[in-house]
Amino acid sequence: DAGVIQSPRHEVTEMGQEVTLRCKPISGHDYLFWYRQTMMRGLELLIYFNNNVPIDDSGMPEDRFSAKMPNASFSTLKIQPSEPRDSAVYFCASSLGQGLAKNIQYFGAGTRLSVL
Amino acid sequence: KNQVEQSPQSLIILEGKNCTLQCNYTVSPFSNLRWYKQDTGRGPVSLTIMTFSENTKSNGRYTATLDADTKQSSLHITASQLSDSASYICVVSGGRGYSSASKIIFGSGTRLSIRP
C-alpha cells in the first residue's frame, strides 16, 4: 500500500476563498483522522471518522470547517471562507481499529496551507 | 486539566552520543502513551505505544519508559545518528479507545538536532 495520500501538498489561497483538502486512507483502515499543526499550537485533532461516520468533531475550530467521508477510500476537509489564521499544515491519518495493537496511526505527508 | 508537557524544547547533541527526552502528563484516566518521530516536512511516524502495565518498550535504538505512578515517560536514543534529527512528540490517550477526540492530548514536541 502507498500509505495515506494527501493532496494537494501545498495550497496558497486568498482570504475568503474556499479550500478543499483531500485524503485517501490506507485500504482496510476503519478510522480516519484530520489534524492541524502550527508552530504555536502544535498538533491538534480536528475530527475523526469510524467506518465513514464522523464520531467526534469537537476539535473543529468553527463552522467554517467541515469534513466529509463519502466512502471508505476518500475524505475531504473544507474551509469556507478561509482566513489567514487557518494557515497551517493539515495532516490526515488512518488506523485499523480500536484495539491497542491496531492503534497505530499512519500519517500522510500533509498539506501546507497558506491563506494570504 | 489534561496536559502533556515535554522537555527539553530543543536539544543538540553530537553524533554517536545518547540522549533522553522527557514527557510528563496529567491525562486521566490513562489509556496509552505514544511517541512519534516527525521529520521536517513530513507526517509523524509512530515509534512506540505503551499501556499503563508496560514499563519499557524498545524499537531499535529507541527505548521508551513509562512510570504510570508518577505519570512520566522518557524516550532514550542510543548511539545517535544524523537521521535522528527530528521532532519527537509524546501523545497521551485517555479514556477507552477513541471515546473522545478531546482525550487525545499532544505534547508540543522536542526538536532534536544531531551534529556530525
Side-chain angles (χ1 to χ4, degrees):
Chain A
D1 200 307
V4 176
I5 299 174
Q6 292 186 245
S7 64
R9 287 298 312 274
H10 303 275
E11 177 79 34
V12 180
T13 190
E14 292 184 344
M15 182 175 62
Q17 296 297 308
E18 178 181 293
V19 175
T20 300
L21 311 181
R22 298 173 176 78
C23 175
K24 181 181 186 305
I26 294 173
S27 177
H29 281 192
D30 296 331
Y31 285 81
L32 182 140
F33 306 81
W34 280 102
Y35 293 90
R36 177 173 67 177
Q37 187 176 40
T38 62
M39 289 292 291
M40 291 296 293
R41 300 172 68 93
L43 263 172
E44 301 172 281
L45 177 62
L46 301 177
I47 184 173
Y48 73 91
F49 295 81
N50 176 212
N51 291 324
N52 313 338
V53 177
I55 302 301
D56 192 330
D57 64 355
S58 58
M60 297 284 262
E62 47 197 277
D63 292 344
R64 297 184 297 106
F65 286 70
S66 62
K68 294 181 180 179
M69 193 165 185
N71 57 62
S73 60
F74 184 66
S75 177
T76 60
L77 177 68
K78 187 175 292 186
I79 307 173
Q80 166 63 20
S82 58
E83 297 182 2
R85 59 190 168 126
D86 301 330
S87 298
V89 181
Y90 291 82
F91 287 104
C92 175
S94 68
S95 69
L96 265 176
Q98 273 193 333
L100 182 62
K102 302 175 182 178
N103 214 12
I104 297 175
Q105 294 182 27
Y106 296 85
F107 284 74
T111 294
R112 181 173 293 277
L113 173 65
S114 298
V115 183
L116 307 178
Chain B
K1 181 182 177 183
N2 291 322
Q3 285 186 314
V4 175
E5 294 185 355
Q6 292 187 242
S7 63
Q9 262 191 332
S10 62
L11 181 63
I12 302 174
I13 64 172
L14 292 175
E15 184 180 12
K17 298 296 185 182
N18 304 334
C19 67
T20 300
L21 314 181
Q22 300 289 344
C23 175
N24 297 339
Y25 62 93
T26 57
V27 179
S28 181
F30 173 82
S31 176
N32 60 74
L33 184 148
R34 288 168 275 178
W35 282 95
Y36 283 92
K37 177 187 178 188
Q38 185 176 19
D39 293 313
T40 300
R42 299 197 160 209
V45 174
S46 179
L47 294 176
T48 63
I49 298 177
M50 302 176 71
T51 64
F52 67 90
S53 61
E54 297 176 293
N55 299 120
T56 303
K57 183 165 282 190
S58 292
N59 179 358
R61 294 179 296 102
Y62 301 101
T63 300
T65 65
L66 175 63
D67 186 333
D69 292 329
T70 62
K71 299 186 178 180
Q72 296 179 326
S73 175
S74 66
L75 180 69
H76 186 75
I77 304 174
T78 304
S80 61
Q81 300 176 358
L82 297 178
S83 60
D84 294 331
S85 294
S87 289
Y88 292 84
I89 302 170
C90 175
V91 184
V92 180
S93 297
R96 295 188 180 278
Y98 296 119
S99 59
S100 170
S102 64
K103 288 291 191 178
I104 300 176
I105 312 297
F106 292 82
S108 56
T110 293
R111 179 166 291 279
L112 176 64
S113 298
I114 311 297
R115 296 284 186 255

